[in-house]
Amino acid sequence: MKPPFKKAARVIEKIEQAGFEAYFVGGSVRDLLLGKEINDVDIATSATPEEVKRIFPHTVDVGIEHGTVLVLEGGESYEITTFRTEGEYVDFRRPKEVSFVRSLTEDLKRRDFTINAIAMTKEGEFVDPFGGKEDLEKGILRTVGKPEERFSEDALRMLRAARFVSQLGFAVEENTYRALKESAPLLKHIAVERKLAEFTKIMTGDHVKKACEVLVSRDLYRYLPNMEAFPGQLLKAAEILRPGALDETEVWALLFLVIRKENCPRFLKEWRLPTKKIKEIYRIYDAFHDRLSKEWDLYGVYTYGLETSLSAEKIHSLWNGEELDKQLARVRELYEKLPIKSRKELQVNGNDLLLWKNKGGGKWVEEDLRRIEKAVISGEVENDKRSIKEWLMP
């Protein structure tokens, strides 16, 4: 058994010694069966939150109304959630109420997909009432029970389905696939922030093309912010992407490029991206278009900086089917050759120019500083105050 489970096994043992059941559940069990790295583990138990708090001396009420208690044990923290069933869903996202139960099967029945409805004992034995292990082995994504019911309870599960396709490359089971299209309009009830989190994971998965085909074929894209007019562009971006090639901001910049700049201010605003990220996207966009017209040179890399230049080059290389590593190495090589990396390293500033020319400020100061930067970067003049003054005012 992998270390995270070994450490947490003593927590389960204490719960069992108190007369209750406890199991590992959720994503950690799924990822164990997939051979993926395990970071955190979740535990479900027949003990109520109050009973859990009586077993462990150090706890935090992180979600006690939904049955979750954070247990601090052995220098680690574990989320322990009571077996529960859920009442009516009133907003297509959250249940109106939850009821604590003593049955593991009843708890697993409320989960979204069979691959997430597998439990494991502390000894490593699996409890799998809905065939999740078999679906994992076959690479199938299937809801627990009727898909229409699961999606009407929580409409975000439809985007989670596309996310699992993107991350795992699984095929969507026939009934689940059909229900995605029938239930797609329910996504209009989901907050943009929730959609953004899932869409970002979809676009950065290893099987993004397959996932975007699900988004488009099942009409899910129609209920993503300002995406209804751009299904072709979404598929084009997915076609260009390669596993692990771009980070989150770079993926948005690629979408920006295929959607075209005139559509993007509204597009990005409706997704409610942070202002800082929007500025980064615009900068990558500008660097990419400069790169389209010419090869990188010292001044180009200096102008945009290393990170933006690398981001633009990644997109350019993917766009044109070029060898990525070779092109990125070229950008890094140019950056290392720069005599200065930013204007802060320039040995003169605007005050020096005002003193030398003995005249009032204006646009000329910025223009002269830019001329000096170019001259220093090209090697025309050394980055030395006296040399720059002689070059500027012969």
Side-chain angles (χ1 to χ4, degrees), residues 138-171:
K138 292 181 177 180
I140 292 174
L141 190 69
R142 182 197 315 268
T143 58
V144 176
K146 295 180 179 180
E148 299 85 356
E149 293 181 3
R150 297 292 82 77
F151 297 149
S152 66
E153 291 168 348
D154 181 356
L156 191 66
R157 286 169 172 167
M158 289 181 278
L159 291 184
R160 281 171 57 82
R163 189 238 293 183
F164 284 122
V165 170
S166 184
Q167 292 176 334
L168 303 177
F170 281 17

Side-chain angles (χ1 to χ4, degrees), residues 298-351:
L298 287 171
Y299 191 69
V301 174
Y302 172 82
T303 299
Y304 290 107
L306 180 61
E307 295 307 316
T308 299
S309 299
L310 288 173
S311 294
E313 185 55 45
K314 286 180 190 178
I315 297 172
H316 183 273
S317 296
L318 293 176
W319 195 284
N320 293 285
E322 297 171 346
E323 186 180 340
L324 190 58
D325 291 343
K326 182 179 179 181
Q327 297 300 113
L328 296 182
R330 170 65 177 158
V331 173
R332 291 191 180 96
E333 181 184 346
L334 285 169
Y335 186 77
E336 290 305 317
K337 287 181 178 178
L338 286 173
I340 58 172
K341 302 295 195 296
S342 73
R343 184 172 287 186
K344 291 179 182 178
E345 298 178 16
L346 204 61
Q347 292 300 302
V348 300
N349 56 40
N351 289 330

Side-chain angles (χ1 to χ4, degrees), residues 33-135:
L33 288 166
L34 289 170
K36 293 180 174 289
E37 184 179 350
I38 309 297
N39 295 313
D40 300 314
V41 300
D42 291 323
I43 296 170
T45 179
S46 61
T48 65
E50 291 303 321
E51 289 166 340
V52 170
K53 291 167 74 172
R54 285 199 291 269
I55 297 169
F56 298 96
H58 305 293
T59 63
V60 180
D61 295 351
V62 294
I64 198 164
E65 70 277 8
H66 295 110
T68 301
V69 175
L70 187 71
V71 169
L72 309 176
E73 182 76 9
E76 302 287 343
S77 60
Y78 302 96
E79 284 194 359
I80 299 181
T81 303
T82 302
F83 298 159
R84 72 189 196 204
T85 58
E86 296 172 340
E88 179 187 0
Y89 282 69
V90 293
D91 58 0
F92 302 97
R93 180 73 186 101
R94 291 178 297 271
K96 187 176 181 180
E97 59 184 19
V98 299
S99 300
F100 301 141
V101 295
R102 301 293 189 182
S103 167
L104 172 65
T105 300
E106 286 298 309
D107 181 77
L108 295 176
K109 188 187 292 185
R110 69 179 174 81
R111 297 175 185 265
D112 52 6
F113 303 104
T114 61
I115 62 172
N116 296 326
I118 308 167
M120 186 177 74
T121 68
K122 68 179 188 298
E123 292 82 17
E125 296 177 357
F126 297 100
V127 181
D128 182 21
F130 304 105
K133 280 183 65 180
E134 183 178 354
D135 285 345

Side-chain angles (χ1 to χ4, degrees), residues 185-197:
L186 297 178
L187 279 170
K188 65 187 178 184
H189 300 288
I190 300 301
V192 171
E193 292 79 7
R194 296 283 187 175
K195 293 177 181 179
L196 174 62

Side-chain angles (χ1 to χ4, degrees), residues 298-299 339 371-381:
L298 287 171
Y299 191 69
R371 284 176 55 211
I372 295 167
E373 282 177 315
K374 288 183 177 180
V376 169
I377 290 164
S378 67
E380 187 178 346
V381 63

Side-chain angles (χ1 to χ4, degrees), residues 184-394:
L186 297 178
L187 279 170
K188 65 187 178 184
H189 300 288
I190 300 301
V192 171
E193 292 79 7
R194 296 283 187 175
K195 293 177 181 179
L196 174 62
E198 292 298 331
F199 184 68
T200 299
K201 292 174 184 176
I202 290 168
M203 296 304 294
T204 52
D206 287 347
H207 306 274
V208 59
K209 180 182 176 182
K210 192 172 184 179
C212 284
E213 287 170 352
V214 170
L215 289 178
V216 173
S217 67
R218 301 294 86 194
D219 286 347
L220 302 180
Y221 77 97
R222 294 180 180 275
Y223 304 95
L224 298 176
N226 205 28
M227 190 67 83
E228 186 173 1
F230 305 113
Q233 289 86 339
L234 178 60
L235 292 174
K236 181 178 179 180
E239 186 76 35
I240 293 170
L241 284 165
R242 294 182 203 163
L246 302 183
D247 66 22
E248 177 184 325
T249 303
E250 291 160 353
V251 167
W252 281 104
L254 175 60
L255 278 170
F256 191 113
L257 287 160
V258 297
I259 286 173
R260 297 185 181 277
K261 189 173 184 178
E262 60 269 21
N263 300 309
C264 283
R266 179 184 170 197
F267 176 77
L268 296 175
K269 184 178 180 180
E270 289 196 15
W271 273 104
R272 298 184 188 172
L273 290 171
T275 301
K276 182 180 178 182
K277 180 163 289 186
I278 291 175
K279 288 180 179 178
E280 291 172 357
I281 292 167
Y282 269 91
R283 191 163 174 79
I284 293 171
Y285 176 93
D286 290 338
F288 173 84
H289 274 278
D290 278 359
R291 175 67 178 88
L292 281 178
S293 62
K294 61 181 180 180
E295 291 285 341
W296 288 107
D297 57 21
L298 287 171
Y299 191 69
V301 174
Y302 172 82
T303 299
Y304 290 107
L306 180 61
E307 295 307 316
T308 299
S309 299
L310 288 173
S311 294
E313 185 55 45
K314 286 180 190 178
I315 297 172
H316 183 273
S317 296
L318 293 176
W319 195 284
N320 293 285
E322 297 171 346
E323 186 180 340
L324 190 58
D325 291 343
K326 182 179 179 181
Q327 297 300 113
L328 296 182
R330 170 65 177 158
V331 173
R332 291 191 180 96
E333 181 184 346
L334 285 169
Y335 186 77
E336 290 305 317
K337 287 181 178 178
L338 286 173
I340 58 172
K341 302 295 195 296
S342 73
R343 184 172 287 186
K344 291 179 182 178
E345 298 178 16
L346 204 61
Q347 292 300 302
V348 300
N349 56 40
N351 289 330
D352 294 316
L353 301 187
L354 292 172
L355 181 62
W356 294 346
K357 294 198 173 182
N358 193 27
K359 65 179 185 178
K363 290 184 179 179
W364 68 269
V365 177
E366 174 62 27
E367 291 169 356
D368 276 5
L369 285 172
R370 192 172 291 122
R371 284 176 55 211
I372 295 167
E373 282 177 315
K374 288 183 177 180
V376 169
I377 290 164
S378 67
E380 187 178 346
V381 63
E382 290 186 18
N383 186 29
D384 170 79
K385 184 173 287 192
R386 178 179 295 177
S387 300
I388 291 171
K389 183 176 182 182
E390 291 175 355
W391 174 85
L392 185 66
M393 303 177 65

